[in-house]
Amino acid sequence: MLLAKSEHLILTVLTSRGPCYGLELVQASRGRLKRGSVYVTLGRMEEKGYVTSSAGGDDGRRRYRPTALGERALMAALAFAGKIRLEAKA
Amino acid sequence: MRRVIAWCVAGLPFGARSRRAIDETLNDWTHEVREAPTRGRRTLTGVQGMLSIARVVSISIVREAVDPGWCRELAPRWGLVAAVVMLLALATAAPMADARGVGTLTVAVLNVPLLLLAVMPPAIFLMFAWRPVSRAVPTAGTACVLAVVGLALAGWLVPFSSDLLNDILRRSLGATIGSDYPPPLSRSEALLAVTGWACLVAATATCAAMVARRAPLRTHWWLAAVPAIYLALIPLFTYTIGESFLVFRSGGDPAVGFRPGIASWTTAAVLMTIAVTFGRMDVSIPTSKDFSHD
């Protein structure tokens, strides 16, 4: 299962920190995710079923959390990357 | 500034996915401004917010532009437009060709880009505003694609075919090409005219997208509006196309100047304002509760 770089990063942050707002994801990524593009990526991931969202407060912002499918996709991507690294070393 | 940007963006015809991404970015901006402790921090947040909106709008437009959903099922309508343009080209070429002794088909083919340019805005409006329930609505990406097509047509194809046609007509009169004829538009005048036309196409597509969303023309009554649309557009065409792109010009004709470009830009601005205002109007559909008298 292939994940785009930004999808990988979002799932990593969400899995480690728990539910987050888009802006928190941008801050946690230390500049690797951009304010203007994070919601485009999150929307695409929600369509794929990797994340789910719910209304977070009165200001219309939404909190995102990974789904079971998203977590499995991240595990598969990490396992794949580990295997590639081992093969490269060998 | 934030409110003005939010007002403008809310009136543009973005698809549901793009709309949500833009709204969430705007919500973040509002949240950050509210949370900013100092004036300097608020200013910085404002700049960051503007950049993020510019980015999300650009990404959304590109994503919508590469999605071909909007042009599906439109092949018969494009065919109808092509047939109308070809008929008009033949009808205008025949008398010209007879009088000057040049080939009718050559003149007709060279006339096609100019007629297509003239037909494009109303054709786009009618094609996209009329929308059966099953058809995808045009989006801001659609408007950008059509603007690029309009830019290529007005900036390259029409001047190219017009030059060829003028040369043929001058040769038929036995005139020396290049002598005694006024120079074409200056670079800045041509740039204004061409970009104005591309913006007019984009504004028309935006208007059509708004009508398709708010009140799609599902019946064929709109056909009655075609002559009215053309009557309204004749002065515009005379200003913007007639004197700038083609026409067999003689040495005594006055210079065209910036007038065509200004006319196109003004019309495009008026249409875009109507589209954005119309797009923002909330249409409340009455429910059964509205009719209960309890």
Side-chain angles (χ1 to χ4, degrees):
Chain A
M1 203 177 290
L2 282 176
L3 281 176
K5 220 179 205 176
S6 53
E7 293 176 352
H8 192 287
L9 184 56
I10 287 172
L11 281 173
T12 307
V13 175
L14 288 178
T15 313
S16 58
R17 292 176 57 136
C20 283
Y21 290 112
L23 201 57
E24 289 172 344
L25 285 169
V26 172
Q27 285 155 357
S29 75
R30 291 186 207 142
R32 280 180 288 172
L33 290 171
K34 305 287 178 198
R35 287 156 189 268
S37 56
V38 67
Y39 290 110
V40 176
T41 312
L42 283 167
R44 192 175 62 223
M45 290 175 75
E46 204 166 2
E47 275 177 17
K48 287 180 184 174
Y50 292 164
V51 296
T52 180
S53 69
S54 54
D58 296 337
D59 51 5
R61 300 197 308 150
R62 301 180 76 81
R63 262 177 189 279
Y64 290 85
R65 59 171 60 83
T67 60
L69 177 66
E71 283 172 354
R72 275 211 305 275
L74 180 65
M75 292 301 146
L78 289 172
F80 183 71
K83 200 176 167 187
I84 294 281
R85 222 173 284 135
L86 279 177
E87 278 176 11
K89 274 184 187 170
Chain B
M1 180 55 81
R2 184 164 37 95
R3 283 186 190 145
V4 173
I5 291 173
W7 189 88
C8 290
V9 169
L12 291 174
F14 285 105
R17 286 164 64 189
S18 306
R19 171 69 54 211
R20 185 171 152 186
I22 292 167
D23 285 349
E24 290 200 66
T25 310
L26 277 167
N27 288 339
D28 274 353
W29 187 4
T30 311
H31 172 78
E32 275 194 301
V33 168
R34 203 181 296 145
E35 299 289 310
T38 60
R39 196 185 177 87
R41 183 77 196 159
R42 266 200 297 279
T43 310
L44 180 68
T45 306
V47 174
Q48 284 176 332
M50 270 190 278
L51 289 175
S52 61
I53 291 295
R55 183 190 283 265
V56 71
V57 165
S58 310
I59 293 171
S60 301
I61 285 176
V62 170
R63 208 180 50 180
E64 287 177 354
V66 295
D67 179 6
W70 60 271
C71 62
R72 257 177 235 136
E73 299 175 36
L74 286 176
R77 280 162 209 280
W78 286 118
L80 184 67
V81 172
V84 168
V85 166
M86 206 56 218
L87 277 175
L88 283 172
L90 282 170
T92 51
M96 206 188 291
D98 286 346
R100 303 262 162 80
V102 290
T104 309
L105 196 63
T106 311
V107 176
V109 169
L110 291 175
N111 256 339
V112 164
L114 180 72
L115 287 167
L116 194 58
L117 190 71
V119 162
M120 212 174 160
I124 283 171
F125 181 79
L126 294 173
M127 279 170 64
F128 289 107
W130 185 80
R131 188 175 71 88
V133 178
S134 60
R135 186 181 296 160
V137 286
T139 57
T142 313
C144 278
V145 169
L146 292 170
V148 171
V149 172
L151 198 66
L153 199 62
W156 177 73
L157 201 55
V158 171
F160 178 70
S161 66
S162 300
D163 282 350
L164 284 178
L165 185 57
N166 273 329
D167 285 351
I168 289 171
L169 294 177
R170 282 168 196 165
R171 273 201 201 100
S172 74
L173 288 174
T176 314
I177 297 166
S179 66
D180 283 347
Y181 294 100
L185 297 176
S186 71
R187 186 173 283 271
S188 50
E189 288 166 354
L191 192 69
L192 193 74
V194 168
T195 51
W197 198 262
C199 286
L200 181 63
V201 170
T204 312
T206 309
C207 267
M210 286 309 175
V211 172
R213 277 181 167 71
R214 297 287 185 195
L217 314 175
R218 293 221 171 92
T219 60
H220 286 85
W221 62 264
W222 52 262
L223 279 172
V226 176
I229 289 173
Y230 272 92
L231 275 176
L233 285 173
I234 281 172
L236 177 73
F237 289 160
T238 311
Y239 275 123
T240 54
I241 298 182
E243 295 175 18
S244 58
F245 292 108
L246 183 68
V247 202
F248 188 51
R249 293 160 72 190
S250 66
D253 286 342
V256 177
F258 287 102
R259 202 179 52 188
I262 292 169
S264 299
W265 271 103
T266 309
T267 316
V270 170
L271 277 180
M272 195 54 113
T273 308
I274 292 170
V276 170
T277 312
F278 185 48
R280 285 185 48 82
M281 278 167 28
D282 289 324
V283 179
S284 60
I285 300 166
T287 61
S288 54
K289 278 182 188 170
D290 295 320
F291 298 105
S292 62
H293 301 286
D294 303 330

